[in-house]
Amino acid sequence: MVFFAPGPVTAQVTAFKQAVSEAASRDKDIAAFYQSNGYKPVWTGAGEADRARRAELIRAIESAASHGLPVARYDPAGLLATLRAVRSPRDRGLAEVEMSRVFLQYARDIQTGILIPKRIDPRIVRDIPYRDRTAYLTGLVNAKPASFFRSLPPHSLEYNALLKEKMAMERLLSQGGWGPVVPAKSLEPGDQGNAVVALRNRLIAMDYMSRSNSMTYDPALTDAVQQFQIAHGLNADGKAGAETMKQINIGVEQRLQSVMVALERERWFNTERGKRHILVNIPDFTAKVVDDGVVTFRTRSVVGANTSDRPTPEFSDVMEFMVVNPSWYVPRSIVTKEYLPALKRNPNAARHIEITDSRGRKVNRGAVNFSQYSARNFPFSMRQPPSRGNALGLVKFMFPNKHNIYLHDTPSKSLFARDVRAFSHGCIRLADPFDFAYALLAAQTSDPEGEFKSVLGTGREQRINLVDPVPVHIIYRTAVTNARGHTEYRADVYGRDARIWDALSKAGVAMGGVQG
């Protein structure tokens, strides 16, 4: 590549600097960087460092698809053509700035994602850890190019596992996937026929069982179905019911989409999670305590229903305390949308909940004409006192946030037996709240169960502070990695991943391994 035109060196340098200044003026960060470094070249110089940076940038953007990024966004062929067309100092200055522009685009994309989450779904309210763009350029100049480029993607075990799964899914897709779907809505042990053979063949292709020619739903097939159910967050009863069959019949292409969406989500979440943290995965319907990267406690959860304003939002915060024997202060939306219409029909509706005035005093229902009020002017609040029948159960776990989301107990235990557990108003209900409390308190007391139960036994509403507040991350992953490093899949309960994939596709992201 020719980067210097014949002529006086001083004139060349001046023309180069003028071109850089002119081209960089369209981007304040690039302009600030070149102004601070005296308009020296970073990419187009003749030195070894410049050549190494050029080579690493071209290599990175040419292989961007391996990370699920849109190669066309960086146009490596066009960038190379620009470099090859340099014939003057001005050309070189323009190429210099163009390489910086492409580099900054790639660096931000691979580190913190190509999409803006809130534009996809307003309930994805995660704060993205964007870096200072000028720091990318100064960091590159002060580091070995190859090492710097390797430092850009997330370094979490999850991200690396997803990259491996992406390669595996693309290879499977190029080979035709898992074969024909099972032509049955449900099957169970003892059944016979072609549909059973199709189920067996599909589970063999998925590597859940060894080869067999049996046409009967036998113990080996039952065990394979159970293993599939465990890996997909379903009740492991060994019966291929409607939900299990739906998941079995999902093809490789859709699973690959889940992996590529998860890679983008991991880039959004490219930040320190906390040595100890709480992880709630909405589609997995679980809440976990993670210590030093190891899950030390896990319980089933119920999340927000997929209707209206109930879906649980995605965000991170810090858990500060728990409330034992909590009162339920009914959210205004529930008061006006659910209870006020019932009170208009019958003033004695929902007698288990107190009606209170602006000063917290209990209101005599018989003295109120509820029919005169609307959602806009209803002047009262509602509160359910502590009890075993309280909507929050006997304990709630607080990480105060503007979304009014928290974790809590519930008297409605039957819902935890379902495959799909999206029923709440948005908060997260726990199947084992006491054990969750013990796990949290174990970090600050030698007798977590005893101390918790002593407070519980009073029947009074009391707060227990966490000496060391714990980060809480509410995430949404339909492709997740288990403790053995294998990728498992979950249903897209809110349809968020489908919308993200649509946005990724429109941005130019494409699946590898597609046949034809």
Side-chain angles (χ1 to χ4, degrees):
M1 297 178 187
V2 178
F3 289 124
F4 291 92
V9 173
T10 301
Q12 289 183 12
V13 172
T14 300
F16 172 80
K17 288 182 176 181
Q18 288 176 342
V20 169
S21 178
E22 176 188 323
S25 66
R26 294 188 289 272
D27 185 310
K28 64 180 180 63
D29 293 323
I30 295 177
F33 169 76
Y34 281 105
Q35 187 175 21
S36 68
N37 88 333
Y39 299 96
K40 297 174 186 173
V42 171
W43 310 98
T44 61
E48 182 179 341
D50 290 66
R51 290 197 298 273
R53 293 185 198 113
R54 289 198 298 272
E56 288 299 328
L57 176 59
I58 297 300
R59 180 203 58 77
I61 62 177
E62 285 182 337
S63 62
S66 65
H67 288 268
L69 298 177
V71 176
R73 187 177 181 124
Y74 319 113
D75 189 14
L79 190 58
L80 281 169
T82 297
L83 291 172
R84 293 187 180 113
V86 169
R87 293 293 181 271
S88 69
R90 176 174 175 78
D91 290 345
R92 186 165 70 92
L94 298 178
E96 172 76 25
V97 173
E98 178 62 11
M99 292 198 79
S100 288
R101 186 197 66 77
V102 172
F103 165 70
L104 289 179
Q105 182 72 73
Y106 171 82
R108 174 159 285 189
D109 288 353
I110 199 166
Q111 195 160 70
T112 48
I114 68 172
L115 302 176
I116 298 175
K118 290 180 184 178
R119 293 182 181 175
I120 310 302
D121 190 303
R123 290 188 179 88
I124 308 177
V125 288
R126 180 164 305 288
D127 292 325
I128 309 303
Y130 293 121
R131 275 62 163 182
D132 183 338
R133 292 172 78 236
T134 57
Y136 285 125
L137 285 163
T138 55
L140 174 67
V141 170
N142 295 320
K144 293 182 178 179
S147 297
F148 187 83
F149 274 89
R150 284 197 298 270
S151 75
L152 290 174
H155 287 278
S156 64
L157 294 175
E158 184 73 10
Y159 191 79
N160 289 327
L162 288 167
L163 288 177
K164 292 178 182 177
E165 182 72 358
K166 177 178 177 292
M167 291 176 62
M169 289 290 105
E170 288 173 340
R171 187 164 53 250
L172 260 174
L173 189 58
S174 69
Q175 296 168 354
W178 293 309
V181 298
V182 183
K185 292 183 178 179
S186 65
L187 292 168
E188 60 181 52
D191 286 347
Q192 294 183 326
N194 292 332
V196 172
V197 173
L199 174 61
R200 184 181 298 274
N201 289 341
R202 196 158 176 87
L203 289 172
I204 290 170
M206 291 178 175
D207 204 26
Y208 284 100
M209 66 183 300
S210 302
R211 292 201 168 275
S212 167
N213 295 320
S214 173
M215 296 185 68
T216 302
Y217 200 132
D218 56 16
L221 184 54
T222 301
D223 181 67
V225 170
Q226 286 179 320
Q227 295 305 311
F228 178 91
Q229 289 170 325
I230 291 170
H232 291 76
L234 304 168
N235 287 315
D237 58 8
K239 299 177 182 178
E243 186 61 31
T244 296
M245 195 67 80
K246 178 182 176 181
Q247 294 301 314
I248 286 173
N249 278 335
I250 288 176
V252 172
E253 186 170 344
Q254 187 173 332
R255 296 305 191 197
L256 177 55
Q257 290 176 9
S258 291
V259 171
M260 295 176 73
V261 168
L263 284 167
E264 176 72 357
R265 285 182 169 279
E266 191 71 6
R267 290 187 284 264
W268 296 346
F269 195 28
N270 187 11
T271 187
E272 179 60 40
R273 285 125 200 237
K275 187 174 182 181
R276 157 171 272 210
H277 62 268
I278 295 161
L279 193 66
V280 177
N281 185 6
I282 295 169
D284 190 33
F285 306 112
T286 59
K288 303 172 184 176
V289 177
V290 181
D291 290 289
D292 294 317
V294 177
V295 176
T296 54
F297 178 81
R298 173 188 177 120
T299 183
R300 289 189 166 202
S301 69
V302 168
V303 301
N306 189 26
T307 57
S308 184
D309 59 349
R310 294 188 180 186
T312 302
E314 301 168 47
F315 66 101
S316 294
D317 214 297
V318 179
M319 185 174 291
E320 301 173 5
F321 61 94
M322 63 184 76
V323 178
V324 185
N325 300 312
S327 295
W328 180 40
Y329 296 90
V330 185
R332 179 74 181 177
S333 60
I334 299 177
V335 169
T336 57
K337 292 180 182 178
E338 299 182 24
Y339 286 124
L340 179 56
L343 290 168
K344 287 182 177 182
R345 294 190 298 270
N346 176 11
N348 290 313
R351 292 289 300 184
H352 61 294
I353 298 179
E354 298 175 349
I355 299 175
T356 58
D357 63 17
S358 60
R359 298 174 62 182
R361 298 173 300 191
K362 188 174 179 180
V363 172
N364 180 359
R365 291 167 179 253
V368 179
N369 178 11
F370 293 104
S371 63
Q372 68 178 311
Y373 295 115
S374 66
R376 179 173 297 178
N377 66 5
F378 189 61
F380 305 113
S381 299
M382 300 184 75
R383 168 184 175 269
Q384 185 180 18
S387 72
R388 289 191 173 276
N390 187 287
L392 305 183
L394 295 172
V395 60
K396 65 177 180 178
F397 304 89
M398 302 299 294
F399 40 107
N401 58 81
K402 63 182 179 182
H403 315 292
N404 198 28
I405 298 296
Y406 46 87
L407 279 60
H408 64 89
D409 182 17
T410 175
S412 304
K413 303 294 186 184
S414 63
L415 296 177
F416 293 109
R418 302 199 184 187
D419 285 331
V420 178
R421 300 189 289 277
F423 300 103
S424 80
H425 284 83
C427 286
I428 298 139
R429 305 174 190 172
L430 304 180
D432 305 294
F434 288 7
D435 291 330
F436 185 73
Y438 305 155
L440 293 176
L441 294 175
Q444 64 191 58
T445 176
S446 59
D447 184 18
E449 184 173 350
E451 291 196 18
F452 179 86
K453 287 184 175 178
S454 68
V455 176
L456 182 67
T458 67
R460 299 192 305 273
E461 185 169 354
Q462 294 188 56
R463 168 172 167 163
I464 301 177
N465 290 325
L466 297 181
V467 174
D468 295 313
V470 182
V472 179
H473 306 295
I474 301 177
I475 66 172
Y476 189 106
R477 299 289 175 83
T478 59
V480 293
T481 304
N482 63 25
R484 298 184 303 279
H486 299 150
T487 304
E488 300 180 349
Y489 295 92
R490 301 292 183 263
D492 187 7
V493 61
Y494 295 155
R496 286 180 191 167
D497 274 16
R499 291 192 289 278
I500 293 171
W501 173 251
D502 182 60
L504 288 172
S505 297
K506 289 177 180 176
V509 173
M511 289 184 289
V514 180
Q515 288 187 308

